[in-house]
Amino acid sequence: MIRYDVADAVATITLDRPDAMNSLTADTKQALLDALRRAAADPAVRAVLLTGSGRAFCAGQDLREHAGNLEAGRGLANTVREHYNPIVELITTMGKPVVAAVNGVAAGAGASLAFACDLRVASEKAKFALAFAGIGLAPDSGASWTLQRLVGQGRAAELMLLGEPVDAARALELGLVTRVVPPDDVMKTARELAGSLAQGPTLAYAATKRALAYAATHTLPDSLALEADLQDACAASRDHQNATRAFVAKERPTFEGT
């Protein structure tokens, strides 16, 4: 269900149910959460790449499993609280950059997973669909939080209420994705991007993610105070000190993530 590989300080996590368009069963979600926790805890991992196998990134919830839960009277089987919420919280708060390689369809919770990542590289054939309303559900997996921060509240309401698919070109125009590339170049481009981040100042990246999340829900004075605290912490890092020396010496800095 999930493939996990580490190379050059990048952990690649691949949703691997191609015949089911990488839709998410309870077991798949637990395996994904375990893989993300593994990457977050491993000091040798300095960036994470999330993708899907086959023709889809992730089609969202496995509706056959969901239909079985409804028939058995289990409703959502508490999967939002037990699986989706901790997965998205971990992606967004992980002290490492997370890149999504969106190789195809990203629908429902699959789109939400992509939006939770820090950067998104999309295939020209990729499509995003906020399909929750189409089956009588509200958005989950953080989409109500992430989407409006990417495209604004009005556009987010339009995408969620209408549920119309957004192709890659439109996604780039809206700011949903970072780059759009030919299908054969998606993984190459995403790996290069994640690899570049993995060689960068990991502590500064973590501080940047924290500052952005905090500022989204706090006042300017509070955000300025946190920025000062984060700068103090970063200034004490070896990476900052070595990079400053390299700048003065007109040399290229080498970051160790410490």
PDB file of all heavy atoms in Angstrom, residues 179-199:
ATOM      1  N   ARG A 179       4.828  24.132  -9.869  1.00  0.00           N
ATOM      2  CA  ARG A 179       5.314  23.952 -11.238  1.00  0.00           C
ATOM      3  C   ARG A 179       4.442  22.936 -11.950  1.00  0.00           C
ATOM      4  O   ARG A 179       3.911  22.014 -11.325  1.00  0.00           O
ATOM      5  CB  ARG A 179       6.762  23.461 -11.246  1.00  0.00           C
ATOM      6  CG  ARG A 179       7.758  24.421 -10.603  1.00  0.00           C
ATOM      7  CD  ARG A 179       9.153  23.828 -10.579  1.00  0.00           C
ATOM      8  NE  ARG A 179      10.061  24.672  -9.788  1.00  0.00           N
ATOM      9  CZ  ARG A 179      11.300  24.349  -9.471  1.00  0.00           C
ATOM     10  NH1 ARG A 179      11.803  23.192  -9.885  1.00  0.00           N
ATOM     11  NH2 ARG A 179      12.049  25.170  -8.754  1.00  0.00           N
ATOM     12  N   VAL A 180       4.322  23.088 -13.264  1.00  0.00           N
ATOM     13  CA  VAL A 180       3.660  22.098 -14.118  1.00  0.00           C
ATOM     14  C   VAL A 180       4.664  21.646 -15.164  1.00  0.00           C
ATOM     15  O   VAL A 180       5.284  22.476 -15.837  1.00  0.00           O
ATOM     16  CB  VAL A 180       2.402  22.684 -14.795  1.00  0.00           C
ATOM     17  CG1 VAL A 180       1.832  21.691 -15.804  1.00  0.00           C
ATOM     18  CG2 VAL A 180       1.349  23.041 -13.753  1.00  0.00           C
ATOM     19  N   VAL A 181       4.829  20.328 -15.289  1.00  0.00           N
ATOM     20  CA  VAL A 181       5.828  19.778 -16.206  1.00  0.00           C
ATOM     21  C   VAL A 181       5.204  18.620 -16.987  1.00  0.00           C
ATOM     22  O   VAL A 181       4.157  18.089 -16.614  1.00  0.00           O
ATOM     23  CB  VAL A 181       7.065  19.278 -15.432  1.00  0.00           C
ATOM     24  CG1 VAL A 181       7.752  20.430 -14.702  1.00  0.00           C
ATOM     25  CG2 VAL A 181       6.695  18.176 -14.436  1.00  0.00           C
ATOM     26  N   PRO A 182       5.836  18.205 -18.101  1.00  0.00           N
ATOM     27  CA  PRO A 182       5.337  17.038 -18.831  1.00  0.00           C
ATOM     28  C   PRO A 182       5.280  15.803 -17.930  1.00  0.00           C
ATOM     29  O   PRO A 182       6.063  15.689 -16.978  1.00  0.00           O
ATOM     30  CB  PRO A 182       6.371  16.861 -19.952  1.00  0.00           C
ATOM     31  CG  PRO A 182       6.940  18.225 -20.156  1.00  0.00           C
ATOM     32  CD  PRO A 182       6.983  18.840 -18.790  1.00  0.00           C
ATOM     33  N   PRO A 183       4.358  14.878 -18.209  1.00  0.00           N
ATOM     34  CA  PRO A 183       4.186  13.707 -17.347  1.00  0.00           C
ATOM     35  C   PRO A 183       5.471  12.940 -17.061  1.00  0.00           C
ATOM     36  O   PRO A 183       5.694  12.496 -15.922  1.00  0.00           O
ATOM     37  CB  PRO A 183       3.184  12.844 -18.125  1.00  0.00           C
ATOM     38  CG  PRO A 183       2.402  13.832 -18.927  1.00  0.00           C
ATOM     39  CD  PRO A 183       3.368  14.910 -19.302  1.00  0.00           C
ATOM     40  N   ASP A 184       6.318  12.787 -18.053  1.00  0.00           N
ATOM     41  CA  ASP A 184       7.549  12.018 -17.862  1.00  0.00           C
ATOM     42  C   ASP A 184       8.567  12.730 -16.980  1.00  0.00           C
ATOM     43  O   ASP A 184       9.546  12.117 -16.542  1.00  0.00           O
ATOM     44  CB  ASP A 184       8.196  11.708 -19.213  1.00  0.00           C
ATOM     45  CG  ASP A 184       7.384  10.719 -20.037  1.00  0.00           C
ATOM     46  OD1 ASP A 184       6.505  10.045 -19.464  1.00  0.00           O
ATOM     47  OD2 ASP A 184       7.610  10.641 -21.261  1.00  0.00           O
ATOM     48  N   ASP A 185       8.341  14.016 -16.732  1.00  0.00           N
ATOM     49  CA  ASP A 185       9.312  14.798 -15.955  1.00  0.00           C
ATOM     50  C   ASP A 185       8.878  15.059 -14.518  1.00  0.00           C
ATOM     51  O   ASP A 185       9.599  15.709 -13.769  1.00  0.00           O
ATOM     52  CB  ASP A 185       9.564  16.151 -16.640  1.00  0.00           C
ATOM     53  CG  ASP A 185      10.249  16.013 -17.980  1.00  0.00           C
ATOM     54  OD1 ASP A 185      10.882  14.960 -18.213  1.00  0.00           O
ATOM     55  OD2 ASP A 185      10.151  16.951 -18.794  1.00  0.00           O
ATOM     56  N   VAL A 186       7.695  14.574 -14.131  1.00  0.00           N
ATOM     57  CA  VAL A 186       7.167  14.912 -12.802  1.00  0.00           C
ATOM     58  C   VAL A 186       8.088  14.436 -11.693  1.00  0.00           C
ATOM     59  O   VAL A 186       8.499  15.224 -10.821  1.00  0.00           O
ATOM     60  CB  VAL A 186       5.753  14.325 -12.605  1.00  0.00           C
ATOM     61  CG1 VAL A 186       5.280  14.547 -11.166  1.00  0.00           C
ATOM     62  CG2 VAL A 186       4.773  14.974 -13.548  1.00  0.00           C
ATOM     63  N   MET A 187       8.425  13.166 -11.687  1.00  0.00           N
ATOM     64  CA  MET A 187       9.239  12.643 -10.594  1.00  0.00           C
ATOM     65  C   MET A 187      10.654  13.206 -10.642  1.00  0.00           C
ATOM     66  O   MET A 187      11.243  13.510  -9.600  1.00  0.00           O
ATOM     67  CB  MET A 187       9.268  11.116 -10.627  1.00  0.00           C
ATOM     68  CG  MET A 187       7.991  10.482 -10.114  1.00  0.00           C
ATOM     69  SD  MET A 187       7.557  10.999  -8.430  1.00  0.00           S
ATOM     70  CE  MET A 187       8.935  10.326  -7.491  1.00  0.00           C
ATOM     71  N   LYS A 188      11.198  13.354 -11.819  1.00  0.00           N
ATOM     72  CA  LYS A 188      12.538  13.922 -11.941  1.00  0.00           C
ATOM     73  C   LYS A 188      12.581  15.340 -11.360  1.00  0.00           C
ATOM     74  O   LYS A 188      13.467  15.678 -10.565  1.00  0.00           O
ATOM     75  CB  LYS A 188      12.968  13.936 -13.408  1.00  0.00           C
ATOM     76  CG  LYS A 188      14.327  14.594 -13.667  1.00  0.00           C
ATOM     77  CD  LYS A 188      14.667  14.516 -15.149  1.00  0.00           C
ATOM     78  CE  LYS A 188      16.009  15.193 -15.453  1.00  0.00           C
ATOM     79  NZ  LYS A 188      15.929  16.665 -15.290  1.00  0.00           N
ATOM     80  N   THR A 189      11.609  16.159 -11.748  1.00  0.00           N
ATOM     81  CA  THR A 189      11.565  17.538 -11.270  1.00  0.00           C
ATOM     82  C   THR A 189      11.321  17.589  -9.765  1.00  0.00           C
ATOM     83  O   THR A 189      11.965  18.370  -9.046  1.00  0.00           O
ATOM     84  CB  THR A 189      10.464  18.324 -12.005  1.00  0.00           C
ATOM     85  OG1 THR A 189      10.700  18.265 -13.415  1.00  0.00           O
ATOM     86  CG2 THR A 189      10.434  19.766 -11.557  1.00  0.00           C
ATOM     87  N   ALA A 190      10.389  16.775  -9.296  1.00  0.00           N
ATOM     88  CA  ALA A 190      10.080  16.772  -7.867  1.00  0.00           C
ATOM     89  C   ALA A 190      11.260  16.271  -7.046  1.00  0.00           C
ATOM     90  O   ALA A 190      11.552  16.806  -5.961  1.00  0.00           O
ATOM     91  CB  ALA A 190       8.842  15.914  -7.602  1.00  0.00           C
ATOM     92  N   ARG A 191      11.956  15.249  -7.545  1.00  0.00           N
ATOM     93  CA  ARG A 191      13.134  14.738  -6.830  1.00  0.00           C
ATOM     94  C   ARG A 191      14.230  15.796  -6.777  1.00  0.00           C
ATOM     95  O   ARG A 191      14.908  15.953  -5.754  1.00  0.00           O
ATOM     96  CB  ARG A 191      13.655  13.473  -7.502  1.00  0.00           C
ATOM     97  CG  ARG A 191      12.837  12.222  -7.206  1.00  0.00           C
ATOM     98  CD  ARG A 191      13.616  10.962  -7.573  1.00  0.00           C
ATOM     99  NE  ARG A 191      12.829   9.765  -7.386  1.00  0.00           N
ATOM    100  CZ  ARG A 191      12.239   9.084  -8.367  1.00  0.00           C
ATOM    101  NH1 ARG A 191      12.360   9.509  -9.622  1.00  0.00           N
ATOM    102  NH2 ARG A 191      11.545   8.010  -8.110  1.00  0.00           N
ATOM    103  N   GLU A 192      14.435  16.496  -7.881  1.00  0.00           N
ATOM    104  CA  GLU A 192      15.446  17.549  -7.901  1.00  0.00           C
ATOM    105  C   GLU A 192      15.099  18.650  -6.899  1.00  0.00           C
ATOM    106  O   GLU A 192      15.970  19.156  -6.180  1.00  0.00           O
ATOM    107  CB  GLU A 192      15.577  18.133  -9.307  1.00  0.00           C
ATOM    108  CG  GLU A 192      16.252  17.192 -10.292  1.00  0.00           C
ATOM    109  CD  GLU A 192      16.255  17.745 -11.709  1.00  0.00           C
ATOM    110  OE1 GLU A 192      15.576  18.780 -11.943  1.00  0.00           O
ATOM    111  OE2 GLU A 192      16.923  17.148 -12.578  1.00  0.00           O
ATOM    112  N   LEU A 193      13.836  19.001  -6.846  1.00  0.00           N
ATOM    113  CA  LEU A 193      13.395  20.033  -5.915  1.00  0.00           C
ATOM    114  C   LEU A 193      13.558  19.576  -4.474  1.00  0.00           C
ATOM    115  O   LEU A 193      14.108  20.304  -3.636  1.00  0.00           O
ATOM    116  CB  LEU A 193      11.935  20.385  -6.203  1.00  0.00           C
ATOM    117  CG  LEU A 193      11.318  21.520  -5.392  1.00  0.00           C
ATOM    118  CD1 LEU A 193      12.113  22.807  -5.547  1.00  0.00           C
ATOM    119  CD2 LEU A 193       9.862  21.736  -5.813  1.00  0.00           C
ATOM    120  N   ALA A 194      13.100  18.348  -4.183  1.00  0.00           N
ATOM    121  CA  ALA A 194      13.252  17.820  -2.827  1.00  0.00           C
ATOM    122  C   ALA A 194      14.722  17.645  -2.474  1.00  0.00           C
ATOM    123  O   ALA A 194      15.144  17.911  -1.335  1.00  0.00           O
ATOM    124  CB  ALA A 194      12.515  16.483  -2.700  1.00  0.00           C
ATOM    125  N   GLY A 195      15.533  17.212  -3.452  1.00  0.00           N
ATOM    126  CA  GLY A 195      16.966  17.038  -3.207  1.00  0.00           C
ATOM    127  C   GLY A 195      17.651  18.353  -2.891  1.00  0.00           C
ATOM    128  O   GLY A 195      18.523  18.415  -2.015  1.00  0.00           O
ATOM    129  N   SER A 196      17.246  19.408  -3.581  1.00  0.00           N
ATOM    130  CA  SER A 196      17.810  20.730  -3.307  1.00  0.00           C
ATOM    131  C   SER A 196      17.449  21.183  -1.905  1.00  0.00           C
ATOM    132  O   SER A 196      18.291  21.701  -1.156  1.00  0.00           O
ATOM    133  CB  SER A 196      17.289  21.733  -4.339  1.00  0.00           C
ATOM    134  OG  SER A 196      17.750  23.039  -4.042  1.00  0.00           O
ATOM    135  N   LEU A 197      16.201  20.967  -1.507  1.00  0.00           N
ATOM    136  CA  LEU A 197      15.767  21.326  -0.156  1.00  0.00           C
ATOM    137  C   LEU A 197      16.494  20.498   0.900  1.00  0.00           C
ATOM    138  O   LEU A 197      16.826  21.001   1.979  1.00  0.00           O
ATOM    139  CB  LEU A 197      14.259  21.138  -0.026  1.00  0.00           C
ATOM    140  CG  LEU A 197      13.392  22.119  -0.829  1.00  0.00           C
ATOM    141  CD1 LEU A 197      11.961  21.633  -0.883  1.00  0.00           C
ATOM    142  CD2 LEU A 197      13.463  23.516  -0.226  1.00  0.00           C
ATOM    143  N   ALA A 198      16.751  19.230   0.581  1.00  0.00           N
ATOM    144  CA  ALA A 198      17.430  18.352   1.539  1.00  0.00           C
ATOM    145  C   ALA A 198      18.864  18.787   1.807  1.00  0.00           C
ATOM    146  O   ALA A 198      19.441  18.442   2.839  1.00  0.00           O
ATOM    147  CB  ALA A 198      17.414  16.907   1.038  1.00  0.00           C
ATOM    148  N   GLN A 199      19.432  19.546   0.890  1.00  0.00           N
ATOM    149  CA  GLN A 199      20.800  20.050   1.072  1.00  0.00           C
ATOM    150  C   GLN A 199      20.810  21.450   1.667  1.00  0.00           C
ATOM    151  O   GLN A 199      21.875  22.049   1.838  1.00  0.00           O
ATOM    152  CB  GLN A 199      21.538  20.053  -0.264  1.00  0.00           C
ATOM    153  CG  GLN A 199      21.647  18.682  -0.910  1.00  0.00           C
ATOM    154  CD  GLN A 199      22.293  17.654   0.010  1.00  0.00           C
ATOM    155  OE1 GLN A 199      23.339  17.924   0.591  1.00  0.00           O
ATOM    156  NE2 GLN A 199      21.667  16.496   0.134  1.00  0.00           N
TER     157      GLN A 199
END
